[in-house]
Amino acid sequence: MREPVLAGVIWSLTALGCLALRDALGGVILVWVPSGVAVAAFYVVRKRHWAVLALAMLPIQAATIWSAGIPLAEAIVYSISSVVQSAIIASLSTMALGGRSQVPRKFRQLGGAFAAAIAGCLAGALIAIPFRAEQTVGEFSWWFMANVHAVIIFSPILLNLVRKLTARGNDVARSGVEPSLYPLLLACAGLAMLALQISQVTLMPLLVAAMVMIAVRYGQVASLLVVLVYAVCATALSIFAGSPMPHLGVGAGEATLVFQTWMLTMLATALPIAAALMKRQQLQRELIARNREMRESLTLFDLAEETASIGRWRLDLVTGEQDWSPKMLEMNGLPRSLAPDPGDLRHRLPDGGSEVFGQIARNKETLGTYTFTYRIRPTNELERVLRMTMLNEFDQRGKRTAVFGVAMDVTEQVRREEALDTARSRAMRLATEAQKLANTDPLTGLPNRRCTFSKLDSMSLVAENCGSPLSAMLFDIDYFKSVNDTYGHQVGDEVIQRVAEIARAQSRKGDVVGRIGGEEFVWLIAGTQESAARLLAERLRQAVEQGFTGTRLPSVTISVGLAYFRPGDDCESLLARADAALYEAKGSGRNRVQRAA
């Protein structure tokens, strides 16, 4: 109950603050901040605990609204409207984004988040319409847009703040706002104050441009902070100048609607542009990185060419004469002074010349060039690697008369290639290990939440397209908090590991057993009819109940929610029904299997 009550208290404080701003200071409410708080609360709290959250927030909201002079019946209706609105938005936007912790980076996700906010706020406004004494189009529009702005602007900012407060270690630095953003926000505030008061020059496009540039540089949350700064400036003007947009020369109510419409339009246009620019910037960074890698590779290649040692050799097969360059002799471990014709050197070559003359014999009819690599180890020297390119010379009758060769000392190049191969193999091994770690729960060795949900997406597609059976079994450990409180977290971790071992042993080949939360697991069963899946679930429950006998660990039980795939289901809906069944199993006494309706 701590999180729901805390959310209700924060909602009450922000609501009283907004009402005081309107009643005591005479300002206009452009953004109904409590709606953003409520939606953020539904994001933070698990979906299976939404009922508890709603029951905790309803009386707090009703009491707060009633204390502001609203009749109790209306206050209750407004509270219901707020809770329904928040639940709809949180549910729809989670589906659109693909998860509670996802950030919208695609147009489809942005559109889904916008649509969720509009649909939820519209539903909340429609619930409250019959109970408002005076309901004009302007009043309805103000009510609707004040809630929409709070959800779109304030909820992501608040969620980012929650992540910052709950982050640990390096995550704290990553979740914070860069200090260089603060001067830009102050500059945007000054520009907004000018734009909202000066009628001779239209500065509104500059405000939109500033928002887009900050979004590209600092991210979408930063762009929402810019819009929030604009709203704060407009609210301040409404207090001191009587209107949020004094330059319009109209009443405060009309100016409020104009400013709210402008804010909504700015968000609807600037955020997609910012997302596209951020994607383009990311692609540019990747291209620059690839070009830099290519330049480094070319530089190494050019350097290898410049510093390469090259030698030449020619053997006249008719006369037996040779022509050795001094470098060729040196590379083969012979004195340079023997050039150009040192005579028969087979006995002086480190390998007796077997590799070179063997290649010459094997390629006696080759018309084009041929290349081979051989290794030599001159006396008292390190091994060298030479790459020889040979060309046969023929007379008019087609008889080979001479051979000409160019040798290059590629020792360093081969060593670099060997080192690169070693590094590449190590990098591939590390990448494979990193991929495994990224998809594995470190405590149990089971697939983690991301990996499990990815597999469920694939299995759902197969079930939908092929009509094959699919079951999702959601189970968690009963009274696990008591285990931690009584025996400590070390024993609690060992209990989780033991349950994971039992579940893994009960699963079959092709099944997926993953850990998706603290003491929460999922077992995905494909290709099995409902009756068999029910038997597997019951067998798992019994195995856990009996699986701690003879161990030093405390005995625990599990509750299981079982849902079967139905046409039209997706990952979210299937797990939602399994979660509802799990909740029902716990409510019915725990240590039981409950099939979803």
Side-chain angles (χ1 to χ4, degrees), residues 255-273:
T256 298
L257 291 178
V258 171
F259 186 81
Q260 287 180 319
T261 304
W262 174 74
M263 286 176 62
L264 191 61
T265 304
M266 181 171 63
L267 288 168
T269 55
L271 283 179
I273 294 174

Side-chain angles (χ1 to χ4, degrees), residues 166-175:
T166 57
R168 295 182 179 179
N170 294 331
D171 292 335
V172 176
R174 288 195 294 267
S175 60

Side-chain angles (χ1 to χ4, degrees), residues 427-456:
M428 293 178 64
R429 185 179 71 256
L430 292 176
T432 302
E433 294 175 357
Q435 179 68 21
K436 182 179 179 180
L437 290 175
N439 291 323
T440 303
D441 172 50
L443 179 63
T444 63
L446 296 175
N448 59 16
R449 182 184 184 88
R450 181 178 67 177
C451 180
T452 302
F453 281 16
S454 176
K455 292 180 180 295
L456 178 56

Side-chain angles (χ1 to χ4, degrees), residues 487-501:
Y487 300 96
H489 289 280
Q490 177 64 37
V491 173
D493 288 346
E494 294 179 9
V495 168
I496 290 176
Q497 291 173 331
R498 177 57 180 161
V499 171
E501 292 173 0

